[in-house]
């Protein structure tokens, strides 16, 4: 049984059909990268997997660990192990980062039939992950993503991912807006989580990210579906020749 | 009410700790170099508040959060009069409405001819949790002086879908996600100790 299986997926926003017969299979432990020009549907794909209500699935299926993902609400998908690191993380004024993460982890534990983390367990887990990613106490005290630079927001997304320990991580344009130092921190955060029971889907425009996080498979997405798949050398070819040949 | 020094009024559901904030219209006269600060959490009944900035460098800072439910029809009227030059006012009004409740909000800033170099700002926002709740907001600027800075704005809408999705995508169920967002939205302008009143209302109405 595949870990994540997307079959003939079609999805639209409003009246605009964006995903057109999209299929992809991901197994445990694998890192997949999807590359494609602007408007090819990469972000739509990540939002559809995570369950954004603005996207309507018109055909096809997504199975995650044997379950029908499309039949689940967004919060249920998250608690089953799906995590989306957003391209543009939302700012939540007035919502403290620590409280936000405590609510999220305890929602997941409740879903899994586990008791809430107490204050001591929570703080320990928070501090361990924060230290590893260079997230300071001051950053944890701020409201979620408020007043953070683009790079800090991406770092916080990676931190949330490390904290919540999902099984399937989608990283939507993790590299955009990052300088080399921040990119290394974020990539390292991903690499330490690369374990046999977890899989990753990287969505990116550029080959650069793949120097730091090495994918097992690279897929090229154009006009709502995958038009070519290969190994990491495909990304290098793409960097040289661009997307022109696929249009 | 005349005040002689800087004063801060805080009130829950119409009752202020410094004075009784009943349903009767209330007038606050702020002398020069003084500041009037008010935090009001409104749940029912009308509020009429008139603030006269009655001396140079008088200021007022008014923050009102209103929570309306059931078939409650309420009105809030805030009038700020910049009687002297170099006076400043700020009004932030935030509401949440559910069921078939209705709010009529009138926000008035008056700046007479001689009151130059005044600053007057008013911002009203409301979140509707049902299709049958409504808000009628009428901001009114009556400005005769020509060297002033003034602004007003009013926005009424639903909870931001992207904000909600961000919480859902982290595993937080819809009801809890709504409560977190709504609470942070009103607590931004209220004293921390009032959290319990907001929680109570949220538990019953969201």
């Amino acid at each position: 049984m595949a870990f994540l299986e997307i079959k003939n997926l079609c999805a639209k926003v409003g009246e605009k059909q964006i995903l057109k017969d999209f299929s992809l299979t991901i197994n445990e432990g694998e890192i997949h990268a999807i590359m494609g020009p602007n408007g090819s549907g990469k972000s739509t794909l990540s939002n559809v997997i995570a369950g954004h209500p603005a996207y309507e699935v018109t055909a096809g299926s997504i199975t995650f660990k044997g379950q029908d993902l499309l039949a689940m609400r967004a919060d249920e998908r998250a608690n089953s192990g799906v995590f989306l690191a957003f391209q543009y993380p939302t700012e939540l004024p007035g919502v403290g980062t620590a409280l936000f993460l405590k609510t999220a982890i305890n929602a997941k534990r409740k879903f899994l039939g586990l008791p809430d983390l107490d204050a001591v367990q929570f703080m320990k887990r928070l501090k361990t992950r924060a230290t590893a990613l260079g997230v300071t106490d001051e950053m944890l005290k701020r409201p979620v993503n408020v007043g953070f630079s683009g790079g800090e927001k991406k770092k916080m997304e990676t931190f949330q991912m490390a904290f919540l320990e999902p099984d399937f991580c989608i990283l939507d344009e993790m590299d955009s807006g990052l300088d080399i130092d921040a990119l290394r921190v974020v990539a390292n955060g991903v690499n330490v989580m690369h374990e046999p029971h977890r899989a990753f889907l990287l969505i990116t425009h550029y080959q650069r990210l793949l120097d730091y996080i090495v994918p097992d498979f690279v897929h090229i997405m154009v006009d709502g579906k995958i038009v070519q798949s290969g190994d990491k050398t495909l990304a290098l070819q793409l960097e040289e020749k661009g997307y022109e040949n696929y249009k | 009410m005349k005040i002689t020094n800087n004063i801060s009024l805080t009130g829950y559901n119409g009752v202020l700790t410094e004075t009784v904030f009943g349903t009767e219209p209330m007038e606050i006269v702020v002398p020069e170099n003084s500041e009037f600060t008010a935090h009001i959490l409104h749940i029912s009944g009308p509020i009429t508040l008139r603030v006269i900035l009655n001396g140079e460098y008088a200021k007022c800072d008014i923050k009102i959060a209103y929570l309306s439910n059931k078939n409650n029809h309420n009105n809030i009227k805030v009038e700020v009069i910049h009687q002297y030059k170099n006076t400043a006012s700020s009004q932030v009004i935030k509401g949440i409405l559910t069921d078939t409740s209705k709010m009529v909000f009138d926000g008035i800033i008056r700046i007479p001819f001689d009151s130059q170099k005044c600053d007057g700002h008013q911002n009203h926002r409301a979140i509707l949790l049902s299709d049958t709740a409504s808000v009628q907001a009428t901001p009114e600027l009556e400005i005769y002086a020509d060297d002033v800075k003034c602004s007003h704005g009013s926005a009424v809408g639903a909870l931001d879908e992207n904000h909600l999705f961000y919480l859902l995508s982290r595993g937080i169920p819809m009801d809890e996600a709504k409560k977190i967002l709504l609470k942070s939205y009103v607590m931004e302008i209220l004293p921390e100790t009032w959290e319990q009143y907001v929680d109570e209302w949220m538990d019953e109405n969201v």
Side-chain angles (χ1 to χ4, degrees):
Chain A
M1 182 181 72
F3 186 60
L4 181 89
E5 190 161 37
I6 304 174
K7 270 191 189 166
N8 310 109
L9 190 69
C10 300
K12 61 181 186 178
V13 179
E15 286 308 303
K16 198 173 180 337
Q17 197 71 39
I18 298 182
L19 296 183
K20 299 167 185 171
D21 204 22
F22 180 98
S23 296
L24 175 66
T25 301
I26 296 176
N27 293 304
E28 280 180 306
E30 291 177 352
I31 299 180
H32 289 242
I34 291 187
M35 303 180 74
N38 287 325
S40 55
K42 304 187 299 298
S43 287
T44 295
L45 176 68
S46 47
N47 279 309
V48 167
I49 297 173
H52 195 296
Y55 298 82
E56 187 192 342
V57 174
T58 52
S61 64
I62 306 179
T63 315
F64 176 57
K65 295 194 284 193
Q67 287 186 297
D68 177 3
L69 197 72
L70 296 176
M72 297 159 88
R73 299 190 310 256
D75 57 311
E76 293 171 330
R77 297 181 197 196
N79 290 329
S80 300
V82 174
F83 183 91
L84 169 60
F86 286 82
Q87 181 180 2
Y88 302 110
T90 305
E91 295 188 5
L92 302 176
V95 182
T97 301
L99 175 74
F100 172 73
L101 285 173
K102 194 171 182 183
T103 310
I105 190 72
N106 284 334
K108 181 173 183 174
R109 291 177 67 86
K110 191 177 174 188
F111 184 83
L112 299 173
L114 298 169
D116 280 5
L117 285 185
D118 66 33
V120 176
Q121 292 167 322
F122 169 74
M123 283 315 290
K124 194 176 168 197
R125 182 170 171 142
L126 193 73
K127 294 278 179 191
T128 314
R129 307 298 194 286
T131 310
L133 281 158
V135 170
T136 62
D137 285 356
E138 191 272 327
M139 288 165 87
L140 292 173
K141 277 181 189 146
R142 276 192 250 172
V144 179
N145 292 321
V146 175
F148 289 104
S149 69
E152 283 175 326
K153 282 182 185 169
K154 295 297 173 78
K155 200 191 262 187
M156 291 304 282
E157 291 290 284
T158 316
F159 165 64
Q160 287 185 30
M161 182 171 81
F163 181 80
L164 294 169
E165 297 185 344
D167 303 321
F168 177 56
C169 311
I170 309 162
L171 290 88
D172 192 357
E173 310 235 350
M174 212 54 201
D175 47 340
S176 69
L178 291 190
D179 59 32
I180 290 293
D181 293 334
L183 183 60
R184 281 201 188 111
V185 171
V186 166
N188 186 45
V190 171
N191 287 329
V192 297
M193 288 182 72
H194 185 205
E195 292 177 72
H197 66 276
R198 188 173 282 134
F200 292 87
L201 180 61
L202 313 174
I203 289 172
T204 182
H205 278 295
Y206 305 106
Q207 198 273 331
R208 186 181 74 154
L209 177 69
L210 308 181
D211 288 337
Y212 297 92
I213 307 171
V214 182
D216 300 299
F217 301 93
V218 173
H219 311 278
I220 296 170
M221 184 170 178
V222 177
D223 195 23
K225 62 178 172 221
I226 290 173
V227 293
Q228 194 179 352
S229 296
D231 60 14
K232 61 182 180 184
T233 57
L234 184 58
L236 292 166
Q237 290 170 31
L238 202 60
E239 189 79 354
E240 215 170 283
K241 295 174 184 160
Y243 294 111
E244 211 42 56
N245 294 340
Y246 298 100
K247 286 180 183 170
Chain B
M1 185 172 90
K2 267 195 188 296
I3 60 173
T4 48
N5 282 307
N6 288 343
I7 190 165
S8 161
L9 297 185
T10 51
Y12 162 62
N13 204 12
V15 180
L16 295 177
T17 52
E18 298 282 335
T19 182
V20 176
F21 197 102
T23 52
E24 294 298 309
M26 186 169 180
E27 187 174 278
I28 311 278
V29 181
V30 188
E32 66 177 350
N33 292 311
S34 292
E35 180 169 6
F36 167 67
T37 310
H39 293 95
I40 296 167
L41 174 59
H42 171 271
I43 293 180
S44 65
I47 290 183
T48 305
L49 178 62
R50 189 167 192 245
V51 179
I52 302 166
L53 300 173
N54 206 34
E56 270 198 73
Y57 302 102
K59 280 198 248 179
C60 74
D61 183 4
I62 298 162
K63 293 188 166 77
I64 302 175
Y66 63 85
L67 308 174
S68 302
N69 67 347
K70 298 181 182 149
N71 193 32
N72 281 317
H73 286 204
N74 292 312
N75 56 71
I76 295 177
K77 184 176 177 182
V78 181
E79 183 182 4
V80 176
I81 302 162
H82 289 255
Q83 202 63 56
Y84 278 75
K85 63 181 180 178
N86 291 311
T87 51
S89 69
S90 159
Q91 303 170 49
V92 179
I93 300 98
K94 287 184 171 189
I96 300 173
L97 299 99
T98 185
D99 305 323
T100 50
S101 62
K102 183 176 180 181
M103 174 59 74
V104 176
F105 169 70
D106 295 300
I108 305 155
I109 300 175
R110 295 191 206 284
I111 306 185
F113 282 112
D114 295 337
S115 297
Q116 303 293 3
K117 308 276 182 199
C118 286
D119 246 330
H121 302 281
Q122 179 197 98
N123 191 292
H124 168 256
R125 281 201 284 158
I127 294 178
L128 303 179
L129 297 181
S130 76
D131 294 338
T132 45
S134 66
V135 177
Q136 183 191 319
T138 317
E140 195 184 316
L141 299 183
E142 189 191 277
I143 301 169
Y144 292 103
D146 56 10
D147 184 14
V148 298
K149 277 188 214 156
C150 271
S151 70
H152 68 89
S154 183
V156 179
L159 263 178
D160 187 299
E161 194 180 48
N162 288 321
H163 285 185
L164 262 179
F165 180 59
Y166 193 79
L167 281 99
L168 297 177
S169 79
R170 298 302 182 245
I172 300 172
M174 182 65 94
D175 282 1
E176 211 169 335
K178 278 186 181 170
K179 278 183 197 170
I180 289 174
L181 291 176
L182 292 169
K183 189 172 152 183
S184 67
Y185 159 79
V186 289
M187 285 309 297
E188 213 175 14
I189 59 167
L190 295 178
E192 260 177 50
T193 49
W194 294 6
E195 203 175 320
Q196 48 173 328
Y197 305 125
V198 176
D199 280 341
E200 270 169 35
W201 192 88
M202 295 283 168
D203 287 342
E204 269 175 43
N205 296 289
V206 179

